[in-house]
Amino acid sequence: MSPIPAYTPPDFSRPDLAAAPAARTEPAPADGVLPRGFHATSNHPEYLHLGDGDWLLARESRMDAVMILRGREVGVMEPRLVKRGDPVVVGRSEEGEEGIYVHPAGFSSPAAAAGKFAFRTRGTRETPFSRSYDELYAVLRHDRAHGHIVWVLGPAVAFDKDSRDAMQFVIEQGYCHALLAGNALATHDLEASRFRTGLGQDIYTQALQPHGHYNHLDIINEVRLHGSIPRAIRELGLSDGIIPACERQGVPYVLAGSIRDDGPLPGVISDACLAQDAMRVHARRATTVIALATQLHTIAFGNMVPGYHVTAEDVVRPVFFYVVDMTEFSTDKLANRGSLQAVAILTNAQDFMVNLWHNLR
Protein backbone atom coordinates (compact mmCIF):
# COMPACT_ATOMS: atom_id res chain seq x y z
CA MET A 1 0.00 0.00 0.00
CA SER A 2 1.39 3.39 -0.99
CA PRO A 3 2.12 5.80 1.87
CA ILE A 4 1.08 8.67 -0.40
CA PRO A 5 -2.56 9.70 0.14
CA ALA A 6 -4.81 10.36 -2.84
CA TYR A 7 -5.73 13.91 -3.77
CA THR A 8 -9.34 15.04 -4.11
CA PRO A 9 -9.62 18.07 -6.41
CA PRO A 10 -12.29 20.76 -5.97
CA ASP A 11 -15.77 20.25 -7.37
CA PHE A 12 -15.82 22.98 -9.99
CA SER A 13 -19.41 22.07 -10.90
CA ARG A 14 -20.57 23.76 -7.70
CA PRO A 15 -22.88 26.64 -8.64
CA ASP A 16 -20.67 29.27 -7.01
CA LEU A 17 -17.55 28.04 -8.81
CA ALA A 18 -19.38 27.48 -12.10
CA ALA A 19 -20.41 31.15 -11.97
CA ALA A 20 -16.95 32.41 -11.01
CA PRO A 21 -15.38 35.14 -13.17
CA ALA A 22 -12.02 34.71 -14.85
CA ALA A 23 -8.98 35.65 -12.83
CA ARG A 24 -7.56 39.10 -13.54
CA THR A 25 -4.00 40.35 -13.89
CA GLU A 26 -2.42 43.78 -13.79
CA PRO A 27 1.07 44.69 -14.97
CA ALA A 28 3.77 45.20 -12.37
CA PRO A 29 4.55 48.95 -12.31
CA ALA A 30 8.30 48.45 -11.75
CA ASP A 31 10.88 45.77 -11.02
CA GLY A 32 10.15 44.27 -7.60
CA VAL A 33 6.94 46.29 -7.22
CA LEU A 34 3.46 44.74 -7.32
CA PRO A 35 0.16 46.23 -8.48
CA ARG A 36 -2.16 47.14 -5.63
CA GLY A 37 -4.55 44.33 -4.73
CA PHE A 38 -2.07 41.59 -5.75
CA HIS A 39 -2.88 38.03 -4.70
CA ALA A 40 -0.41 36.53 -2.18
CA THR A 41 -0.10 32.75 -2.40
CA SER A 42 -0.37 30.15 0.33
CA ASN A 43 1.25 26.71 0.49
CA HIS A 44 -2.06 25.03 -0.46
CA PRO A 45 -3.11 24.02 -3.99
CA GLU A 46 -4.38 27.14 -5.77
CA TYR A 47 -6.46 27.34 -8.94
CA LEU A 48 -7.04 30.18 -11.37
CA HIS A 49 -10.18 30.39 -13.50
CA LEU A 50 -9.31 31.11 -17.14
CA GLY A 51 -12.96 31.36 -18.15
CA ASP A 52 -15.65 28.96 -19.42
CA GLY A 53 -15.08 26.51 -16.57
CA ASP A 54 -11.35 26.10 -17.28
CA TRP A 55 -9.54 26.06 -13.92
CA LEU A 56 -5.74 25.91 -13.90
CA LEU A 57 -3.75 24.53 -10.94
CA ALA A 58 -0.51 26.31 -10.09
CA ARG A 59 2.03 23.49 -10.26
CA GLU A 60 3.96 24.92 -7.36
CA SER A 61 3.43 27.48 -4.67
CA ARG A 62 4.84 28.83 -1.41
CA MET A 63 3.90 31.24 1.32
CA ASP A 64 3.85 34.96 0.45
CA ALA A 65 4.68 34.74 -3.24
CA VAL A 66 2.70 36.03 -6.23
CA MET A 67 1.30 34.48 -9.39
CA ILE A 68 2.32 35.53 -12.90
CA LEU A 69 -0.25 34.40 -15.48
CA ARG A 70 0.63 34.21 -19.17
CA GLY A 71 -1.96 32.32 -21.22
CA ARG A 72 -2.15 28.87 -19.66
CA GLU A 73 1.16 29.24 -17.84
CA VAL A 74 1.12 30.29 -14.21
CA GLY A 75 4.36 30.93 -12.39
CA VAL A 76 4.79 31.49 -8.67
CA MET A 77 7.66 33.75 -7.67
CA GLU A 78 8.94 35.92 -4.88
CA PRO A 79 7.85 39.57 -5.22
CA ARG A 80 11.48 40.76 -5.42
CA LEU A 81 11.89 38.76 -8.66
CA VAL A 82 8.91 40.34 -10.45
CA LYS A 83 9.83 42.45 -13.47
CA ARG A 84 8.11 45.57 -14.73
CA GLY A 85 5.15 44.63 -16.94
CA ASP A 86 4.77 41.07 -15.60
CA PRO A 87 1.05 40.13 -15.52
CA VAL A 88 0.47 39.72 -11.77
CA VAL A 89 -2.71 38.02 -10.59
CA VAL A 90 -4.84 40.36 -8.47
CA GLY A 91 -7.60 39.52 -6.02
CA ARG A 92 -7.85 39.06 -2.27
CA SER A 93 -10.70 36.51 -2.06
CA GLU A 94 -10.00 32.77 -2.20
CA GLU A 95 -13.37 31.09 -2.78
CA GLY A 96 -13.68 31.80 -6.50
CA GLU A 97 -15.25 35.26 -6.22
CA GLU A 98 -12.36 36.73 -8.21
CA GLY A 99 -11.41 33.63 -10.16
CA ILE A 100 -8.99 32.39 -7.46
CA TYR A 101 -9.70 29.23 -5.48
CA VAL A 102 -7.50 27.98 -2.62
CA HIS A 103 -8.04 24.28 -1.81
CA PRO A 104 -6.68 23.30 1.64
CA ALA A 105 -8.67 20.05 2.00
CA GLY A 106 -7.35 18.01 -0.93
CA PHE A 107 -5.53 15.49 1.26
CA SER A 108 -7.95 15.49 4.19
CA SER A 109 -9.19 12.21 5.58
CA PRO A 110 -12.50 11.83 7.40
CA ALA A 111 -12.11 12.97 10.97
CA ALA A 112 -12.18 10.31 13.64
CA ALA A 113 -15.33 10.20 15.69
CA ALA A 114 -14.92 12.28 18.81
CA GLY A 115 -16.94 14.46 21.08
CA LYS A 116 -16.88 18.23 21.05
CA PHE A 117 -14.19 18.14 23.72
CA ALA A 118 -11.05 16.01 23.60
CA PHE A 119 -7.61 15.82 25.17
CA ARG A 120 -4.29 15.80 23.31
CA THR A 121 -5.43 17.30 20.03
CA ARG A 122 -1.93 18.52 19.07
CA GLY A 123 1.57 17.11 19.32
CA THR A 124 3.63 17.91 22.41
CA ARG A 125 6.59 16.41 24.27
CA GLU A 126 4.31 13.79 25.82
CA THR A 127 2.93 12.66 22.45
CA PRO A 128 3.94 9.13 21.39
CA PHE A 129 5.77 9.19 18.05
CA SER A 130 5.74 5.51 17.09
CA ARG A 131 3.30 6.04 14.25
CA SER A 132 5.14 9.16 13.04
CA TYR A 133 8.36 7.11 12.78
CA ASP A 134 6.63 4.25 10.95
CA GLU A 135 5.04 6.64 8.48
CA LEU A 136 8.39 8.34 7.95
CA TYR A 137 10.15 5.04 7.20
CA ALA A 138 7.48 4.19 4.62
CA VAL A 139 7.65 7.63 3.01
CA LEU A 140 11.46 7.54 2.79
CA ARG A 141 11.46 4.11 1.18
CA HIS A 142 8.88 5.33 -1.37
CA ASP A 143 10.53 8.66 -2.10
CA ARG A 144 14.04 7.25 -2.42
CA ALA A 145 13.01 6.17 -5.93
CA HIS A 146 9.89 8.27 -6.55
CA GLY A 147 10.52 11.63 -4.93
CA HIS A 148 12.98 14.29 -3.85
CA ILE A 149 14.05 14.04 -0.20
CA VAL A 150 15.56 17.21 1.27
CA TRP A 151 17.36 17.30 4.61
CA VAL A 152 17.79 20.55 6.57
CA LEU A 153 20.53 20.00 9.15
CA GLY A 154 21.92 21.79 12.17
CA PRO A 155 25.46 21.20 13.46
CA ALA A 156 24.30 18.92 16.29
CA VAL A 157 24.13 16.08 13.74
CA ALA A 158 27.91 16.30 13.29
CA PHE A 159 28.74 16.53 17.01
CA ASP A 160 28.04 12.85 17.70
CA LYS A 161 29.82 9.92 16.07
CA ASP A 162 26.74 7.74 15.69
CA SER A 163 24.43 10.44 14.34
CA ARG A 164 27.13 11.53 11.89
CA ASP A 165 27.66 7.92 10.75
CA ALA A 166 23.89 7.50 10.42
CA MET A 167 23.59 10.60 8.23
CA GLN A 168 26.45 9.34 6.07
CA PHE A 169 24.54 6.06 5.67
CA VAL A 170 21.35 7.93 4.72
CA ILE A 171 23.22 9.81 1.99
CA GLU A 172 25.05 6.75 0.67
CA GLN A 173 21.85 4.69 0.53
CA GLY A 174 19.96 7.26 -1.55
CA TYR A 175 17.66 8.68 1.12
CA CYS A 176 18.95 12.23 0.61
CA HIS A 177 18.59 14.06 -2.69
CA ALA A 178 19.65 17.48 -1.37
CA LEU A 179 21.07 18.85 1.85
CA LEU A 180 20.54 22.37 3.21
CA ALA A 181 22.55 23.72 6.12
CA GLY A 182 24.71 26.58 7.32
CA ASN A 183 28.41 27.15 7.65
CA ALA A 184 28.48 25.37 11.03
CA LEU A 185 27.23 21.95 9.89
CA ALA A 186 29.84 21.73 7.14
CA THR A 187 32.60 23.16 9.33
CA HIS A 188 32.06 20.75 12.20
CA ASP A 189 31.55 17.77 9.92
CA LEU A 190 34.88 18.48 8.23
CA GLU A 191 36.44 19.14 11.64
CA ALA A 192 35.26 15.69 12.73
CA SER A 193 36.72 14.11 9.61
CA ARG A 194 40.07 15.84 10.15
CA PHE A 195 40.41 15.89 13.95
CA ARG A 196 37.65 13.56 15.27
CA THR A 197 36.25 16.51 17.26
CA GLY A 198 33.28 18.84 17.25
CA LEU A 199 34.17 22.27 18.68
CA GLY A 200 37.21 20.58 20.17
CA GLN A 201 35.32 17.76 21.90
CA ASP A 202 35.87 14.15 20.84
CA ILE A 203 32.76 13.15 18.88
CA TYR A 204 32.55 9.78 20.65
CA THR A 205 34.02 10.15 24.15
CA GLN A 206 33.11 13.86 24.42
CA ALA A 207 36.49 14.43 26.06
CA LEU A 208 37.91 17.91 25.48
CA GLN A 209 41.08 17.83 23.42
CA PRO A 210 44.15 20.01 24.08
CA HIS A 211 43.81 23.22 22.08
CA GLY A 212 40.69 21.66 20.58
CA HIS A 213 38.94 25.02 20.42
CA TYR A 214 41.26 25.78 17.49
CA ASN A 215 40.15 22.78 15.45
CA HIS A 216 37.13 24.30 13.71
CA LEU A 217 39.15 27.42 12.89
CA ASP A 218 42.01 25.30 11.59
CA ILE A 219 39.75 23.31 9.25
CA ILE A 220 38.14 26.50 7.93
CA ASN A 221 41.63 27.87 7.28
CA GLU A 222 42.72 24.64 5.56
CA VAL A 223 39.67 24.59 3.30
CA ARG A 224 40.15 28.25 2.41
CA LEU A 225 43.80 27.51 1.64
CA HIS A 226 42.75 24.73 -0.75
CA GLY A 227 40.17 27.03 -2.35
CA SER A 228 37.02 24.89 -2.15
CA ILE A 229 35.37 22.18 -0.09
CA PRO A 230 35.64 19.48 -2.83
CA ARG A 231 39.32 20.19 -3.40
CA ALA A 232 40.08 20.19 0.35
CA ILE A 233 38.28 16.86 0.77
CA ARG A 234 40.40 15.32 -1.99
CA GLU A 235 43.74 16.80 -1.02
CA LEU A 236 43.37 16.34 2.75
CA GLY A 237 42.07 12.79 2.30
CA LEU A 238 38.81 13.41 4.21
CA SER A 239 36.85 10.23 3.61
CA ASP A 240 34.10 9.98 6.23
CA GLY A 241 31.21 12.18 7.21
CA ILE A 242 28.27 14.07 5.80
CA ILE A 243 29.83 16.53 3.36
CA PRO A 244 32.35 14.01 1.93
CA ALA A 245 29.45 11.58 1.41
CA CYS A 246 27.53 14.28 -0.48
CA GLU A 247 30.56 14.86 -2.69
CA ARG A 248 31.01 11.14 -3.42
CA GLN A 249 27.30 10.57 -4.14
CA GLY A 250 26.80 13.75 -6.14
CA VAL A 251 24.21 15.05 -3.68
CA PRO A 252 23.88 18.85 -3.96
CA TYR A 253 24.19 20.88 -0.77
CA VAL A 254 23.37 24.52 -0.10
CA LEU A 255 25.20 26.28 2.73
CA ALA A 256 23.41 29.50 3.69
CA GLY A 257 25.52 31.81 5.81
CA SER A 258 24.70 34.03 8.77
CA ILE A 259 26.22 37.07 10.44
CA ARG A 260 27.95 35.06 13.17
CA ASP A 261 29.78 32.65 10.85
CA ASP A 262 33.45 31.92 11.40
CA GLY A 263 35.35 32.02 8.13
CA PRO A 264 33.12 31.19 6.40
CA LEU A 265 34.01 28.12 4.37
CA PRO A 266 34.32 28.63 0.62
CA GLY A 267 30.98 27.92 -1.00
CA VAL A 268 28.90 29.34 1.87
CA ILE A 269 26.41 31.80 0.39
CA SER A 270 26.54 35.00 2.46
CA ASP A 271 24.01 36.96 0.39
CA ALA A 272 20.59 36.15 1.94
CA CYS A 273 18.67 36.57 -1.32
CA LEU A 274 21.09 34.36 -3.26
CA ALA A 275 20.90 31.76 -0.50
CA GLN A 276 17.11 31.85 -0.67
CA ASP A 277 17.22 31.39 -4.44
CA ALA A 278 19.52 28.36 -4.08
CA MET A 279 17.29 26.81 -1.39
CA ARG A 280 14.18 27.52 -3.44
CA VAL A 281 15.49 25.27 -6.22
CA HIS A 282 15.04 22.32 -3.87
CA ALA A 283 11.81 23.65 -2.36
CA ARG A 284 10.26 23.42 -5.83
CA ARG A 285 11.27 19.75 -6.15
CA ALA A 286 10.82 18.56 -2.58
CA THR A 287 8.40 15.74 -1.80
CA THR A 288 9.70 15.01 1.71
CA VAL A 289 11.61 17.35 4.02
CA ILE A 290 13.34 16.37 7.26
CA ALA A 291 14.48 19.41 9.23
CA LEU A 292 16.72 18.39 12.10
CA ALA A 293 17.96 20.48 15.03
CA THR A 294 18.01 23.88 13.35
CA GLN A 295 15.29 26.39 14.10
CA LEU A 296 16.21 29.20 11.72
CA HIS A 297 16.85 27.02 8.67
CA THR A 298 13.74 24.95 9.43
CA ILE A 299 11.46 27.97 9.55
CA ALA A 300 13.11 29.60 6.53
CA PHE A 301 12.81 26.53 4.34
CA GLY A 302 9.34 25.72 5.69
CA ASN A 303 8.12 29.06 4.40
CA MET A 304 9.46 28.23 0.93
CA VAL A 305 7.95 24.75 0.62
CA PRO A 306 4.46 24.16 -0.81
CA GLY A 307 2.14 21.70 0.85
CA TYR A 308 1.79 19.77 -2.40
CA HIS A 309 3.82 18.62 -5.37
CA VAL A 310 2.68 17.95 -8.94
CA THR A 311 4.58 15.03 -10.46
CA ALA A 312 5.68 14.72 -14.08
CA GLU A 313 2.61 12.50 -14.55
CA ASP A 314 0.36 15.35 -13.27
CA VAL A 315 -0.39 13.52 -10.03
CA VAL A 316 -0.92 15.86 -7.07
CA ARG A 317 0.63 14.55 -3.85
CA PRO A 318 1.46 16.05 -0.46
CA VAL A 319 4.88 17.30 0.56
CA PHE A 320 5.74 15.69 3.89
CA PHE A 321 7.55 17.99 6.32
CA TYR A 322 9.07 16.54 9.49
CA VAL A 323 10.57 18.78 12.16
CA VAL A 324 12.89 16.94 14.56
CA ASP A 325 13.91 18.96 17.60
CA MET A 326 13.88 18.98 21.38
CA THR A 327 11.05 21.53 21.56
CA GLU A 328 7.84 22.40 19.73
CA PHE A 329 9.09 25.89 18.84
CA SER A 330 9.89 25.36 15.15
CA THR A 331 6.68 23.46 14.42
CA ASP A 332 4.58 26.03 16.29
CA LYS A 333 6.30 28.87 14.45
CA LEU A 334 5.63 27.22 11.08
CA ALA A 335 1.99 26.59 12.03
CA ASN A 336 1.66 30.25 13.01
CA ARG A 337 2.93 31.14 9.53
CA GLY A 338 0.49 28.80 7.77
CA SER A 339 2.67 25.69 7.24
CA LEU A 340 0.25 23.38 8.99
CA GLN A 341 1.59 20.20 7.36
CA ALA A 342 4.72 20.21 9.54
CA VAL A 343 4.86 17.13 11.79
CA ALA A 344 6.93 17.36 14.97
CA ILE A 345 9.05 14.50 16.29
CA LEU A 346 10.36 15.74 19.61
CA THR A 347 13.68 14.11 20.44
CA ASN A 348 17.38 14.85 20.18
CA ALA A 349 19.26 14.62 16.90
CA GLN A 350 21.39 11.66 17.92
CA ASP A 351 18.51 9.43 19.04
CA PHE A 352 16.50 10.28 15.93
CA MET A 353 19.33 9.55 13.51
CA VAL A 354 20.33 6.28 15.16
CA ASN A 355 16.69 5.14 15.26
CA LEU A 356 16.37 5.94 11.56
CA TRP A 357 19.65 4.20 10.77
CA HIS A 358 18.65 0.95 12.46
CA ASN A 359 15.22 0.83 10.81
CA LEU A 360 16.34 1.74 7.29
CA ARG A 361 19.08 -0.93 7.49
Side-chain angles (χ1 to χ4, degrees):
M1 182 178 177
S2 172
I4 312 301
Y7 176 70
T8 303
D11 178 9
F12 290 117
S13 67
R14 281 173 24 191
D16 58 330
L17 295 180
R24 296 187 304 109
T25 65
E26 291 185 10
D31 290 356
V33 180
L34 307 174
R36 290 187 173 89
F38 63 88
H39 172 69
T41 58
S42 69
N43 62 352
H44 299 302
E46 299 204 10
Y47 293 81
L48 297 179
H49 188 209
L50 304 183
D52 298 321
D54 185 9
W55 290 87
L56 180 65
L57 171 65
R59 295 186 69 90
E60 58 184 50
S61 193
R62 64 156 290 179
M63 298 294 301
D64 301 331
V66 294
M67 291 180 167
I68 307 298
L69 180 62
R70 292 185 173 91
R72 292 191 56 80
E73 296 292 328
V74 56
V76 176
M77 67 174 60
E78 291 75 5
R80 62 184 170 82
L81 300 178
V82 170
K83 299 299 183 184
R84 177 176 178 159
D86 282 348
V88 178
V89 173
V90 296
R92 296 290 169 91
S93 60
E94 299 174 345
E95 293 292 329
E97 304 94 328
E98 296 172 277
I100 303 165
Y101 187 75
V102 179
H103 187 49
F107 303 110
S108 298
S109 57
K116 293 183 178 179
F117 175 79
F119 292 113
R120 301 169 70 186
T121 57
R122 60 183 296 275
T124 68
R125 271 165 276 191
E126 63 180 13
T127 299
F129 295 107
S130 297
R131 181 174 179 179
S132 296
Y133 273 109
D134 288 343
E135 290 175 345
L136 173 58
Y137 304 146
V139 167
L140 287 175
R141 290 187 174 103
H142 177 277
D143 279 5
R144 176 164 64 162
H146 305 289
H148 192 78
I149 305 169
V150 180
W151 288 75
V152 185
L153 297 184
V157 184
F159 286 154
D160 174 77
K161 179 184 183 301
D162 285 352
S163 65
R164 186 168 170 268
D165 289 347
M167 190 64 216
Q168 178 178 332
F169 167 85
V170 163
I171 295 165
E172 291 173 343
Q173 295 303 311
Y175 292 105
C176 174
H177 299 118
L179 187 150
L180 312 180
N183 181 64
L185 180 278
T187 293
H188 297 305
D189 180 62
L190 296 174
E191 176 194 351
S193 187
R194 179 72 162 165
F195 300 109
R196 320 316 299 169
T197 63
L199 277 177
Q201 186 180 69
D202 186 282
I203 59 173
Y204 180 68
T205 68
Q206 299 180 25
L208 294 173
Q209 302 301 300
H211 298 288
H213 60 286
Y214 279 102
N215 288 355
H216 74 288
L217 299 175
D218 281 341
I219 193 62
I220 290 172
N221 191 55
E222 286 289 330
V223 177
R224 291 175 71 89
L225 177 65
H226 286 80
S228 71
I229 292 175
R231 186 172 177 180
I233 288 172
R234 289 194 307 270
E235 297 182 359
L236 294 174
L238 306 181
S239 59
D240 65 279
I242 298 166
I243 300 300
C246 286
E247 287 290 339
R248 284 196 305 274
Q249 301 299 124
V251 172
Y253 52 91
V254 176
L255 305 177
S258 65
I259 294 170
R260 63 179 296 274
D261 283 343
D262 296 318
L265 290 169
V268 172
I269 305 172
S270 57
D271 184 305
C273 289
L274 293 179
Q276 185 183 126
D277 289 344
M279 295 169 71
R280 181 82 163 107
V281 169
H282 300 290
R284 295 174 188 272
R285 300 183 62 193
T287 58
T288 296
V289 179
I290 302 174
L292 180 55
T294 171
Q295 291 180 348
L296 293 180
H297 280 79
T298 295
I299 296 164
F301 195 59
N303 286 339
M304 298 181 203
V305 176
Y308 67 101
H309 176 79
V310 184
T311 70
E313 297 76 28
D314 290 330
V315 175
V316 182
R317 57 156 289 174
V319 174
F320 298 97
F321 200 110
Y322 292 88
V323 179
V324 184
D325 214 322
M326 294 287 285
T327 74
E328 302 96 327
F329 177 82
S330 296
T331 311
D332 288 348
K333 190 77 169 179
L334 285 171
N336 287 337
R337 296 294 185 269
S339 299
L340 298 175
Q341 81 270 31
V343 174
I345 297 179
L346 301 178
T347 185
N348 65 63
Q350 293 79 15
D351 287 351
F352 173 81
M353 286 306 307
V354 171
N355 193 3
L356 200 68
W357 188 16
H358 291 325
N359 279 275
L360 292 179
R361 283 196 300 190

